[in-house]
Amino acid sequence: MNPAEPVLIYGLGRSGRGVARFLAAHGQRPDWLDARPGSDDDALTRDLALQRGDVSRAYATVVAAPGVPIDHPDLETLRRGGAEVIGEVVLAARMRPDLPMVGVTGTAGKGSTTVLIAHLLRVCGLNALEGGNIDPPLLDVVDHAEVAVVELSSFQLERVPGLRLPVAVITNLGVDHLDRHRTVGAYHAAKLAITAGQEAGDVLVVPAGLNLSTHATVQPFDPAHLRLADGTAVMDGAELPDGIHPANAAAALLATEAMLRHLSRPADANVLADGLRSARPVAGRFETVARVGGVQFIEDSIATRTIAVQAALERATPPVVWLVGGRDKGAELEPLRVAAQGRVTRVIAFGEDGPALAAQLGLPFDTVSGVDGDDTMRRAARAGLDALPGHGTVLLAPIGTSFDQFRDYKARGDAFRRAAQALMPTEAPA
């Protein structure tokens, strides 16, 4: 990118601040625009001496935050003024064309798979760093990585013109974000942009049975078989650590092997098996955060997609009390009704749309509310414990987004964790 060309960061937040830091480190001072800048945004723009921009100005490049709809009127105005609208991933690829990247997307499991691929590559001796849709922003790691492993949301994939990934992964395709994309077809089209720039010799890792149009070599994965592309068995799925899903492990193995091959490095099945054994689940993804007698409290606050909630319901040890709530984003509920049958004994509804979601699920439910998000989680955790017969699972897999009462899903998960741990009995003094 030519330092003399004017650049605008549209939308700050976590992603935009990463763009600002990166460009400043590379000698550029972009303008910025954000309708509601936070205190962190204000502090950073002051520290970097960045100027507030104007949509009427001609910019060569606009780096738009994922949360800004691709058809936002301001972006349309900037395009008419001659700007190319891109996201942080394309900026990274253009500024660091020598950096090999693995891209990972999917309706569920993409974060866990991203972290697992980076872990396996590190076990194989590479300085692999993860970023993107998960912390940290991609641009915070690209100058320090030998390989970057990037979690890509559908929002990010709306703005990746010309992106070519030597290795890409689609963990699955379900239904999500219809409040943004409007149709399942549009949502899937955004996801499939991960392979749009791939060419012959690149690799696309997908679930077995998913047929896609791509120029890349397709490597199907099967969670029942943890093996390399040539069929070499790596390990038995029963050996995986708790919290590592076989589907994520199967996809990560093939993606790791493909990147090693891209870099002309060997893939040793024994080393990869050791890597899987030493892997740890990502915090906040179906994580047991407390135990009270025979009751375990599982935090899966990020489970707002139908496929992720369904997986959580199927993995939780029954009887299950299911905490449902937040802000409804249009998740498909019928598969969840089916998954809950015979496993869920009660629903605890909370938040803005919890009661409406619970009513649609057709399961017995109680409603809790509090003065704030923390108080709501305390009441929900207590109600979940009281509804069980001394054993089973209190599961936070909420369906709704967190933005009614919390900053994000992590804050909601942290509140649940604190609430659950507060219910644990303290040791009696000796």
Side-chain angles (χ1 to χ4, degrees):
M1 185 176 293
N2 186 344
E5 292 182 341
V7 177
L8 174 69
I9 301 171
Y10 193 96
L12 290 170
R14 188 179 69 88
S15 172
R17 291 194 297 272
V19 174
R21 289 189 294 265
F22 178 81
L23 288 176
H26 285 260
Q28 294 188 259
R29 289 293 183 271
D31 289 353
W32 65 273
L33 273 176
D34 193 297
R36 294 182 296 276
S39 58
D40 290 345
D41 303 330
D42 288 335
L44 182 69
T45 55
R46 284 195 305 270
D47 290 346
L48 298 180
L50 304 185
Q51 300 298 311
R52 189 176 183 91
D54 189 323
V55 294
S56 64
R57 184 182 173 190
Y59 292 95
T61 305
V62 174
V63 186
V68 181
I70 197 67
D71 59 355
H72 190 285
D74 283 353
L75 297 186
E76 298 288 3
T77 298
L78 290 160
R79 287 190 193 93
R80 287 195 296 270
E84 181 188 25
V85 177
I86 64 173
E88 63 167 327
V89 182
V90 169
L91 178 62
R94 292 179 182 178
M95 297 287 283
R96 284 292 316 274
D98 58 320
L99 177 67
M101 291 196 291
V102 181
V104 184
T105 197
T107 303
K110 59 185 180 293
S112 297
T113 303
T114 298
V115 171
L116 185 52
I117 293 168
H119 169 74
L120 291 177
L121 288 169
R122 287 192 291 270
V123 168
C124 292
L126 290 161
N127 178 26
L129 299 175
E130 62 267 33
N133 193 53
I134 56 172
D135 286 329
L138 174 62
L139 290 167
D140 281 1
V141 305
V142 293
D143 283 337
H144 313 287
E146 196 174 358
V147 180
V149 188
V150 192
E151 180 189 346
L152 291 165
S153 70
S154 60
F155 297 175
Q156 290 172 306
L157 287 167
E158 287 181 319
R159 55 207 71 192
V160 289
L163 178 67
R164 180 183 178 185
L165 295 166
V167 181
V169 180
I170 299 175
T171 59
N172 44 55
L173 285 178
V175 179
D176 197 17
H177 296 305
L178 298 188
D179 52 340
R180 165 85 168 245
H181 298 291
R182 299 186 179 90
T183 68
V184 175
Y187 167 64
H188 286 181
K191 288 291 193 185
L192 295 178
I194 197 170
T195 190
Q198 289 193 294
E199 300 177 8
D202 300 329
V203 172
L204 176 64
V205 177
V206 300
L210 181 61
N211 299 312
L212 302 172
S213 176
T214 178
H215 296 295
T217 298
V218 175
Q219 292 283 357
F221 70 86
D222 182 346
H225 301 286
L226 302 182
R227 59 192 180 191
L228 302 180
D230 64 0
T232 300
V234 173
M235 66 185 295
D236 187 281
E239 299 178 64
L240 287 172
D242 288 344
I244 303 298
H245 196 284
N248 298 339
L253 277 174
L254 290 177
T256 301
E257 179 190 19
M259 178 50 71
L260 291 170
R261 189 164 57 245
H262 176 75
L263 297 173
S264 300
R265 297 174 71 114
D268 187 311
N270 292 325
V271 171
L272 290 169
D274 288 341
L276 287 177
R277 292 188 187 98
S278 63
R280 295 294 177 264
V282 178
R285 268 82 166 178
F286 199 83
E287 181 182 5
T288 299
V289 296
R291 294 182 186 274
V292 179
V295 175
Q296 60 180 338
F297 289 77
I298 292 179
E299 191 260 293
D300 205 356
S301 179
I302 199 172
T304 62
R305 305 162 180 86
T306 299
I307 193 170
V309 178
Q310 183 176 356
L313 289 169
E314 291 171 349
R315 291 175 65 191
T317 301
V320 176
V321 174
W322 178 16
L323 274 53
V324 170
R327 182 171 293 163
D328 185 4
K329 66 172 185 175
E332 187 181 7
L333 299 182
E334 180 57 33
L336 304 182
R337 280 192 286 268
V338 173
Q341 292 301 315
R343 303 180 65 80
V344 174
T345 56
R346 196 150 201 90
V347 170
I348 305 299
F350 66 90
E352 184 177 307
D353 294 320
L357 287 166
Q360 292 176 72
L361 289 167
L363 297 166
F365 73 93
D366 298 315
T367 299
V368 299
S369 61
V371 295
D372 56 21
D374 281 358
D375 188 36
T376 297
M377 283 294 102
R378 284 192 292 270
R379 294 171 183 265
R382 177 80 253 181
L385 179 62
D386 290 345
L388 286 169
H391 62 92
T393 304
V394 179
L395 171 67
L396 175 65
I399 306 176
T401 66
S402 58
F403 304 125
D404 59 334
Q405 293 183 296
F406 298 93
R407 180 181 67 255
D408 53 29
Y409 78 90
K410 291 182 180 178
R412 178 170 62 187
D414 288 344
F416 175 75
R417 180 191 303 261
R418 290 191 297 271
Q421 291 175 352
L423 295 171
M424 295 174 64
T426 57
E427 293 291 336

